[in-house]
Amino acid sequence: MRRSVALLLLVLAASAAGAADAPALKAGVFDPPRAAPDFSLRGSDGGELRLSRHRGKVVALAFGFTSCPDVCPVTLATLTEARKKLVAAGTDLQVVYLTVDPERDDAERMRSYLASFDPSFVGGTGAPEQLEAVRKEYGILAEKVKTAAGYAVAHSSSIFLIDREGRLRALMPYGHPADDFVHDVQILSAP
Amino acid sequence: MSLRRPAVRLAAAVLLGVAGVVLLVGIGWAALAPIRFASREEVFEIPKGTWARRMSGDPVEILPSEIRLTLGIRDVLLLRNLDDVPQTFGPALMMPGQSFRLPFEVASSYQFACTAHASGQMTVIVEPQPDAPWARLRWRAKTLWRREEWR
């Protein structure tokens, strides 16, 4: 009895120490993490895009559109730089980019747009109601706004970080440098 | 009565003097003492029953549309959903019982889309750490004022 109580205390102390030592992420952290909602969309690689297909890798999930004049190019350039550094350090990162503008963003357009950043990036498009359902699951806002050239889409600019087990662990607000992604992805990739 | 007047004046002068010294000591402390908090988290919670109250027409405001944080002192935003339904709180959609902890490392103004506000926007202003005495004094005075305002 004494031995099992001592063992229990040891386990509790070890887990408390582990929690205290857990390195903090630069991104905002969900606690407890929930399973990242899965989806089935048309992938920019021509196949079906399912989030669960990337289980085993850390995924950076971003929402945007290929005609975005400012936020998306910065986000994707940051993720390109982060992935380059991660790959050099032996860690993989899968970037998944879902459109908020399915009227203009077909699979081919997304493929060529993403390839200009990093050919490994995967885009997702589909019917407007399909994409709206995905946005709702992630709490993403997107609204069409008229512009002189036609329209743009005002959208949430944060990036979700999903761990190797498919849990929605963190949300990186727009504007963080590539090194913050490198830092967090390395922590999330640790076994 | 005439004997009393000088005594009253003296007592008043002593009291004023003491009050002045206390005020000076207070200002000196506020300017020079390092700012310490047990936690760097600024916590906001959605209480249980918020959704039901909103549905019944009660315009519940939990999260101010502008939040001010200070680097090195209060630079972590901690949002908790204690309600029974998912809630969008600042930048994050949180499930019941879930929390979202967002640290800041750069002094700046951050805009987040937020459905919890009528404007659809939430601003987090992160101010630099007040290291100089005057900055500390101003920070303490502002913090005291904001807390009174928010109460």
Side-chain angles (χ1 to χ4, degrees), chain A residues 46 59 72 105 159:
Chain A
V59 172
C72 293
D105 289 343
I159 298 142

Side-chain angles (χ1 to χ4, degrees), chain B residues 28-91:
Chain B
W29 171 85
L32 299 172
I35 300 166
R36 286 202 185 97
F37 278 97
S39 166
R40 284 163 69 168
E41 292 167 349
E42 184 78 44
V43 183
F44 294 95
E45 291 178 340
I46 301 180
K48 200 176 173 68
T50 298
W51 183 80
R53 281 176 61 194
R54 279 196 181 131
M55 286 299 103
S56 65
D58 184 356
V60 193
E61 259 315 313
I62 301 142
L63 196 60
S65 56
E66 185 182 291
I67 294 172
R68 283 180 181 267
L69 300 176
T70 309
L71 284 183
I73 298 166
R74 274 282 154 86
D75 52 9
V76 177
L77 189 60
L78 179 60
L79 310 174
R80 287 194 190 116
N81 180 14
L82 304 179
D83 206 356
D84 301 318
V85 295
Q87 294 271 8
T88 301
F89 203 20

Side-chain angles (χ1 to χ4, degrees), chain A residues 113-173:
Chain A
Y113 179 67
L114 292 173
S116 66
F117 292 95
D118 183 324
S120 78
F121 289 4
V122 181
T125 187
E129 56 275 13
Q130 258 183 310
L131 290 158
E132 196 185 332
V134 177
R135 289 200 300 271
K136 198 175 169 201
E137 295 262 33
Y138 283 89
I140 291 293
L141 304 174
E143 194 185 358
K144 257 189 189 181
V145 284
K146 278 188 181 169
T147 64
Y151 74 89
V153 185
H155 62 91
S156 310
S157 53
S158 300
I159 298 142
F160 293 97
L161 295 177
I162 297 160
D163 71 14
R164 301 190 311 169
E165 284 77 41
R167 291 175 302 175
L168 190 55
R169 293 284 295 275
L171 180 69
M172 186 78 87

Side-chain angles (χ1 to χ4, degrees), chain A:
Chain A
M1 178 68 182
R2 261 190 209 164
R3 194 176 285 176
S4 49
V5 169
L7 192 67
L8 181 68
L9 287 174
L10 197 68
V11 168
L12 286 174
S15 58
D21 292 343
L25 298 186
K26 305 278 186 187
V29 174
F30 293 101
D31 183 35
R34 63 173 167 130
D38 202 2
F39 44 77
S40 172
L41 296 169
R42 206 172 319 125
S44 58
D45 55 2
E48 182 196 23
L49 172 63
R50 292 190 81 93
L51 182 64
S52 50
R53 199 178 83 188
H54 300 290
R55 201 68 55 83
K57 280 195 237 177
V58 173
V59 172
L61 174 65
F63 292 79
F65 62 115
T66 61
S67 322
C68 181
D70 39 29
V71 172
C72 293
V74 172
T75 298
L76 291 168
T78 305
L79 289 169
T80 303
E81 187 188 339
R83 188 173 179 278
K84 214 173 266 175
K85 289 181 175 179
L86 283 161
V87 169
T91 306
D92 203 359
L93 168 69
Q94 179 62 56
V95 173
V96 176
Y97 178 77
L98 304 187
T99 185
V100 293
D101 184 14
E103 273 179 48
R104 292 185 289 201
D105 289 343
D106 59 20
E108 177 48 32
R109 184 171 168 144
M110 291 195 82
R111 190 200 58 74
S112 65
Y113 179 67
L114 292 173
S116 66
F117 292 95
D118 183 324
S120 78
F121 289 4
V122 181
T125 187
E129 56 275 13
Q130 258 183 310
L131 290 158
E132 196 185 332
V134 177
R135 289 200 300 271
K136 198 175 169 201
E137 295 262 33
Y138 283 89
I140 291 293
L141 304 174
E143 194 185 358
K144 257 189 189 181
V145 284
K146 278 188 181 169
T147 64
Y151 74 89
V153 185
H155 62 91
S156 310
S157 53
S158 300
I159 298 142
F160 293 97
L161 295 177
I162 297 160
D163 71 14
R164 301 190 311 169
E165 284 77 41
R167 291 175 302 175
L168 190 55
R169 293 284 295 275
L171 180 69
M172 186 78 87
Y174 173 74
H176 277 256
D179 285 345
D180 286 359
F181 284 93
V182 172
H183 174 269
D184 285 8
V185 171
Q186 279 177 333
I187 290 171
L188 295 176
S189 299

